[in-house]
Amino acid sequence: MSPDGLESSPAVPATTPDAPTPPLSMVEVQQRVSSELERIGVVVDELGERFEAAGHSLHLVGGPVRDAMLGRLQNDLDFTTSAHPDAVERLLKGWAEAVWDIGRAFGTIGCRKGDWTIEITTFRSEAYSADSRKPEVAYGTDLAGDLGRRDFTVNAMAVSVPGRVFEDPFGGIGDLAHRVLRTPGRPEDSFSDDPLRMMRAARFAAQLGFDVAPDVVAAMTAMAERIDVISAERVRDELVKLVCAPYPRRGLALLVETGLAARVLPELPALQLERDEHHRHKDVYEHSLTVLEQSMDLEERLAAPDGPGTPDFIVRFAALVHDIGKPRTRRFLEDGSVTFHHHDVVGAKLVRKRMKALRFSGEQIDAVSKLVELHLRFHGYGDGGWTDSAVRRYVRDAGDQLQRLHILTRADCTTRNRRKAERLRRTYDDLERRIGELAEQEELDAMRPDLDGNQIMRILGIGPGRDVGEAYKFLLEQRMDHGPQDPATAEAALRAWWAERQG
């Protein structure tokens, strides 16, 4: 085993959930759209008639049309219209059960009708000036202009209602059938209008498993620095969607290839270390992508709010960045071997800095950095076994991230050597078994000292202050070392500790 705790065999090649998918047939696409329109017709036709009667056009657009062709059903519907927001709001009131205008500044009015969530946006055009982080929004005059300002051809299709007339001025149906992302016009113009679309290209590649057209990739590469005008929050949101997509390797590889990653997550391309001449350490970048994919296979272990197997950003992102401390800590030894001592601690600090810059919440930052800091802890377990005290400390230090730490540690094994992989699996199985046994016996999840603060003050005859905190820490260490103790034993240990402190 290498000094950093990872197997030194070559990394397993990328798994292939994102292998090229056969093109869709036009007949299949048309059948899917027809079926989806029948499902949502009760809402879209009625709404279309309402707008038509008021002298306005209404068109189902974007993701709902694209997803209908892909057979992905949803209850979130996006429309564009010739009506301005005030008129849209009037038409929705009395028809929808709830109406909101949080997006009014961008020409969008939202509502809820039964199980449907609907957003209706006035025809518009928007663009970023050279140094602005916010788009300038202006209303458009027709559907073709509105579709032309959209990011990709597969999102630039529409169905006019109530007549259910299909509109595809930029060939989106053909691109969708061939699973390729193109822009309605020149990609340079599209990305100049909204640089975030470069990240959206990577995100859609990850979500849909689509290829990105060569001219789009070229424009992303040439214009990568334009992403700097986009707010950290918007970049963060796209990154989260990408990492939580079915094929994140596709999107991440595109970000690295085009140079966008160097601007939004520079620690990722930095993992492309030059391999030493003897090839004695892993390709850290490929290893990290593989760990990410293997963590996805283990997500079903988490009790996710939306059910087992729901994408979990925290564990996925921790898997992606768990080794980002390696470039800073790499050392070559005289025998040609490579070490990355303390890359776990260094990596945790780098994670905090990057996630803070991307405006992640404190809770998310704490969770990911804790996982990165602890991801090597397990490897000491197989070197001779741990005492019950060491197991308790592992649980205590992991805290509420214990289940994610189980996933990350298991996913971090990418050796091709089946014997070694099986040994690591069995060893971690044994650690989890011991954690389970101790948890059942000692309520590890609620681990506390055997005496509380009030009891400490009464026994020692002291008031609130630093000494009470120190005594609490001492008793918690006792709990770690010896397990639960009866009050008399805990009190005797506390008195002995106090007497020693008093000299």
Side-chain angles (χ1 to χ4, degrees):
M1 185 172 290
S2 61
D4 66 342
L6 290 176
E7 299 295 338
S8 55
S9 329
V12 175
T15 54
T16 56
D18 54 355
T21 307
L24 296 170
S25 71
M26 292 299 182
V27 173
E28 184 179 8
V29 169
Q30 292 168 353
Q31 289 175 339
R32 287 177 175 178
V33 173
S34 177
S35 176
E36 176 67 352
L37 285 175
E38 286 301 316
R39 185 180 75 92
I40 66 177
V42 63
V43 173
V44 300
D45 290 342
E46 185 176 306
L47 191 58
E49 290 168 357
R50 196 174 183 90
F51 274 69
E52 186 178 59
H56 300 294
S57 62
L58 184 69
H59 317 271
L60 184 69
V61 290
V65 179
R66 178 199 69 223
D67 288 347
M69 294 180 177
L70 293 172
R72 294 152 47 113
L73 305 184
Q74 58 172 289
N75 281 10
D76 293 344
L77 304 177
D78 295 330
F79 293 87
T80 189
T81 181
S82 59
H84 284 203
D86 288 345
V88 172
E89 189 171 21
R90 287 195 301 271
L91 287 167
L92 291 178
K93 286 183 176 179
W95 178 79
E97 294 149 14
V99 178
W100 53 88
D101 67 350
I102 192 171
R104 182 183 292 274
F106 297 96
T108 301
I109 303 294
C111 72
R112 187 184 72 251
K113 175 75 169 178
D115 294 333
W116 311 94
T117 299
I118 297 168
E119 287 193 345
I120 303 176
T121 302
T122 305
F123 294 151
R124 69 186 188 189
S125 60
E126 62 185 35
Y128 283 77
S129 60
D131 57 356
S132 173
R133 287 178 177 267
K134 294 182 179 180
E136 300 174 358
V137 178
Y139 295 141
T141 58
D142 56 39
L143 176 63
D146 183 90
L147 295 180
R149 56 154 287 277
R150 294 178 181 268
D151 50 10
F152 303 106
T153 60
V154 296
N155 293 330
M157 300 178 286
V159 176
S160 299
V161 290
R164 301 189 185 181
V165 177
F166 182 67
E167 311 279 357
D168 181 24
F170 302 102
I173 190 170
D175 288 339
L176 184 141
H178 290 91
R179 301 182 183 273
V180 63
L181 289 174
R182 301 183 190 276
T183 53
R186 294 175 66 248
E188 293 83 0
D189 295 337
S190 179
F191 298 153
S192 180
D193 287 346
D194 184 352
L196 188 67
R197 290 172 177 171
M198 295 186 288
M199 287 204 65
R200 284 169 63 86
R203 190 247 291 183
F204 281 125
Q207 285 184 330
L208 305 174
F210 281 18
D211 292 323
V212 180
D215 64 328
V216 176
V217 175
M220 292 169 66
T221 305
M223 302 177 66
E225 66 179 17
R226 282 283 287 149
I227 199 67
D228 295 348
V229 307
I230 302 298
S231 70
E233 291 83 357
R234 295 187 73 202
V235 169
R236 173 203 63 205
D237 291 346
E238 286 298 324
L239 185 61
V240 170
K241 292 174 183 177
L242 189 161
V243 170
C244 291
Y247 317 111
R249 180 187 285 263
R250 273 182 178 262
L252 293 166
L254 183 59
L255 291 181
V256 171
E257 175 190 350
T258 57
L260 282 163
R263 311 196 76 86
V264 301
L265 188 63
E267 295 80 7
L268 181 60
L271 294 176
Q272 294 178 308
L273 303 174
E274 293 182 10
R275 297 184 60 155
D276 62 288
E277 60 180 336
H278 301 292
H279 299 278
R280 293 188 180 180
H281 74 275
K282 290 176 181 288
D283 179 329
V284 184
Y285 170 71
E286 290 295 333
H287 164 75
S288 298
L289 293 179
T290 299
V291 174
L292 165 60
E293 291 177 327
Q294 293 185 169
S295 74
M296 294 164 59
D297 295 335
L298 298 171
E299 281 178 327
E300 61 186 18
R301 295 167 60 101
L302 295 174
D306 297 327
T310 302
D312 185 275
F313 173 75
I314 298 299
V315 75
R316 290 192 184 194
F317 196 62
L320 178 65
V321 301
H322 74 285
D323 275 344
I324 65 170
K326 282 190 169 182
R328 294 277 187 93
T329 59
R330 182 173 61 157
R331 299 291 182 272
F332 291 98
L333 303 183
E334 291 183 359
D335 63 359
S337 61
V338 186
T339 66
F340 303 97
H341 292 310
H342 306 302
H343 77 269
D344 46 348
V345 177
V346 172
K349 293 178 180 178
L350 292 174
V351 164
R352 281 192 170 276
K353 182 178 180 181
R354 178 54 51 197
M355 293 186 73
K356 184 176 181 180
L358 289 171
R359 305 292 193 270
F360 281 96
S361 70
E363 182 179 358
Q364 290 172 309
I365 294 172
D366 289 343
V368 176
S369 61
K370 177 183 288 188
L371 291 169
V372 172
E373 185 172 2
L374 295 177
H375 82 273
L376 289 183
R377 181 77 64 88
F378 155 72
H379 291 282
Y381 184 81
D383 295 338
W386 285 355
T387 62
D388 284 351
S389 173
V391 175
R392 293 186 192 102
R393 281 182 167 79
Y394 187 76
V395 173
R396 180 195 65 182
D397 291 347
D400 60 359
Q401 299 304 314
L402 181 61
Q403 292 305 316
R404 288 185 173 119
L405 183 58
H406 289 335
I407 290 175
L408 175 58
T409 304
R410 289 180 179 277
D412 196 22
C413 174
T414 60
T415 177
R416 280 179 170 173
N417 187 314
R418 292 187 179 182
R419 183 176 298 177
K420 290 181 179 180
E422 181 61 22
R423 174 173 57 79
L424 285 172
R425 186 191 64 78
R426 288 198 307 269
T427 304
Y428 205 85
D429 284 347
D430 184 66
L431 175 58
E432 285 202 68
R433 177 189 60 76
R434 289 184 62 192
I435 290 172
E437 290 176 353
L438 286 173
E440 186 174 348
Q441 297 166 12
E442 304 177 12
E443 298 182 356
L444 288 184
D445 291 341
M447 197 182 306
R448 294 181 178 84
D450 297 295
L451 301 174
D452 62 25
N454 290 328
Q455 290 170 307
I456 290 171
M457 288 188 288
R458 177 180 57 77
I459 292 169
L460 300 182
I462 60 176
R466 181 178 298 176
D467 286 338
V468 177
E470 293 297 321
Y472 191 93
K473 291 179 182 177
F474 165 75
L475 289 171
L476 184 57
E477 289 298 316
Q478 288 287 108
R479 174 75 168 76
M480 294 289 107
D481 290 337
H482 306 293
Q485 296 178 323
D486 61 74
T489 301
E491 180 176 340
L494 176 62
R495 289 186 181 279
W497 171 81
W498 183 250
E500 184 177 348
R501 276 176 62 94
Q502 299 305 303

